[in-house]
């Protein structure tokens, strides 16, 4: 899937996510409308680009380079996003640890598992040492009632998750870790099932996903996924847009799932104050 096509899929998927959120979770939708650039701090990565999903959602953010994080002034009510690979250096790692333990929310992807989470929060999660191939796996949402997963996958959907070549499977070491999204295919091929995990550290929380969050491709395995994107939008009570013209349902479904998950995380952080839900 080329960059221009994926960009259109994300713009359409993000719009569907926000319109559905306005109907299904109006408090979260209102929180997104109130987000300011200072609420979300993104550490740029060499590989992943979570900020492109934020832009598709039309959410403002503040970007910093990895070497700048150690000297950044962070507040506990912020969301800190660390893109893969997460080479932050000792000062940056210390900053991450202080931020989360003081009540902040951290969102990390792929190689940040080894470069950020293992050194900053030892004994909780770890890379299993079996890198993936460039692959796509079916995922299963473990807890549809979890606020982070609301609207991410509807009953009957089979979302797919792209695995970048050399993605790091997540081994759970601490029983307090919650596996929010898993994949039987991922476990069968690479030894671990978790796709998205959540854990507490001090007063804050950490949300981590395998592979790159800005997905670059998917697969169309079933007739439902090969239907038109316009049909997918109509099924969800959203008007189609011009950008969907030649897109498939599965492409927009994947982008919509990814967009809604991030929108949920940002909204819940915005609604919280000092780690307590407002």
């Amino acid at each position: 899937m080329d960059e221009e096509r994926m960009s259109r899929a994300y713009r359409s998927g993000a719009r569907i996510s926000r319109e559905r959120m306005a109907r299904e979770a109006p408090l979260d939708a209102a929180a997104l409308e109130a987000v300011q650039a200072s609420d979300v701090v993104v550490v740029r990565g060499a590989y992943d680009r979570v900020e492109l999903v934020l832009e598709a959602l039309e959410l403002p953010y503040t970007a910093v380079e990895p070497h700048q994080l150690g000297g950044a002034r962070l507040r506990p009510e912020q969301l800190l996003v660390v893109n893969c690979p997460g080479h932050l250096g000792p000062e940056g790692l210390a900053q991450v640890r202080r931020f989360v333990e003081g009540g902040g929310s951290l969102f990390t992807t792929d190689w940040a598992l080894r470069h950020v989470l293992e050194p900053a929060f030892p004994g909780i999660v770890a890379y299993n040492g079996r890198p993936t191939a460039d692959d796509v796996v079916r995922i299963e949402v473990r807890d549809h009632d979890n606020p982070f997963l609301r609207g991410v996958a509807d009953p009957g959907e089979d979302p797919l998750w792209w695995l970048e070549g050399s993605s790091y499977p997540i081994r759970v070491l601490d029983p307090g870790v919650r596996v929010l999204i898993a994949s039987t295919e991922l476990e069968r091929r690479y030894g671990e099932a978790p796709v998205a995990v959540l854990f507490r550290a001090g007063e804050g929380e950490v949300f981590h996903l395998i592979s790159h969050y800005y997905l670059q491709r998917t697969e169309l395995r079933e007739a439902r996924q090969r239907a038109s994107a316009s049909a997918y939008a109509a099924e969800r009570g959203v008007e189609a847009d011009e950008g969907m013209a030649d897109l498939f349902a599965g492409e927009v479904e994947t982008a919509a799932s990814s967009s809604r998950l991030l929108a949920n995380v940002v909204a819940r952080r915005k609604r919280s104050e000092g780690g307590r839900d407002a």
Side-chain angles (χ1 to χ4, degrees):
M1 191 172 185
D2 63 50
E3 183 68 26
E4 187 273 338
R5 190 178 181 91
M6 181 55 79
S7 178
R8 286 193 289 117
Y10 262 101
R11 288 196 299 271
S12 296
R15 183 178 62 83
I16 290 171
S17 295
R18 290 202 64 156
E19 290 191 22
R20 291 189 63 189
M21 179 181 277
R23 296 197 309 261
E24 301 163 356
L27 292 179
D28 284 350
L32 286 190
E33 293 295 333
V35 169
Q36 301 178 9
S38 61
D39 293 326
V40 182
V41 178
V42 176
V43 180
R44 295 193 186 278
Y47 308 119
D48 204 359
R49 295 173 290 173
V50 177
E51 58 269 28
L52 294 184
V53 186
L54 290 169
E55 291 170 10
L57 287 163
E58 299 183 349
L59 294 175
Y61 61 91
T62 298
V64 300
E65 298 299 328
H67 70 272
Q68 297 174 318
L69 183 60
R73 299 182 63 180
L74 301 179
R75 307 187 312 275
E77 63 269 22
Q78 292 173 313
L79 171 68
L80 176 63
V81 177
V82 178
N83 279 301
C84 176
H87 293 306
L88 305 181
E91 291 184 0
L93 288 174
Q95 173 84 291
V96 167
R97 188 181 304 110
R98 288 192 301 268
F99 169 73
V100 174
E101 292 181 347
S105 291
L106 174 66
F107 186 104
T108 58
T109 67
D110 212 18
W111 289 5
L113 174 64
R114 165 157 282 186
H115 301 310
V116 178
L117 302 188
E118 287 188 24
F121 310 102
I124 298 179
V125 290
Y127 168 42
N128 77 342
R130 294 176 58 183
T132 71
D134 183 324
D135 206 347
V136 175
V137 295
R138 193 183 308 275
I139 62 174
E140 301 98 36
V141 174
R142 288 278 180 92
D143 183 1
H144 286 275
D145 294 326
N146 186 286
F148 289 126
L149 301 182
R150 186 171 187 177
V152 171
D154 293 328
E157 287 186 351
D158 297 304
L160 301 175
W161 195 258
W162 174 60
L163 301 173
E164 169 72 62
S166 296
S167 288
Y168 287 178
I170 307 163
R171 174 168 292 163
V172 173
L173 305 177
D174 189 305
V177 175
R178 298 171 66 182
V179 178
L180 301 183
I181 301 175
S183 170
T184 302
E185 290 184 7
L186 177 66
E187 183 176 28
R188 184 174 67 250
R189 298 175 193 174
Y190 305 107
E192 307 291 342
V195 171
V197 298
L198 177 70
F199 63 86
R200 302 286 302 182
E203 297 297 316
E205 63 188 1
V206 177
F207 191 102
H208 178 77
L209 298 104
I210 188 175
S211 193
H212 296 169
Y213 196 71
Y214 184 74
L215 305 174
Q216 295 183 23
R217 73 177 182 91
T218 187
E219 291 179 353
L220 306 173
R221 299 184 178 181
E222 302 173 0
R224 180 185 62 81
Q225 294 164 335
R226 293 189 294 273
S228 70
S230 298
Y232 172 81
E235 287 178 358
R236 278 133 193 88
V238 178
E239 289 188 8
D241 56 54
E242 293 182 359
M244 294 180 183
D246 62 339
L247 297 179
F248 293 104
E251 293 171 329
V252 175
E253 177 185 82
T254 296
S257 296
S258 173
S259 298
R260 183 61 185 270
L261 178 58
L262 186 58
N264 288 344
V265 171
V266 174
R268 298 299 295 186
R269 178 74 285 188
K270 184 63 177 177
R271 289 180 58 189
S272 69
E273 181 178 1
R276 297 181 297 276
D277 198 60

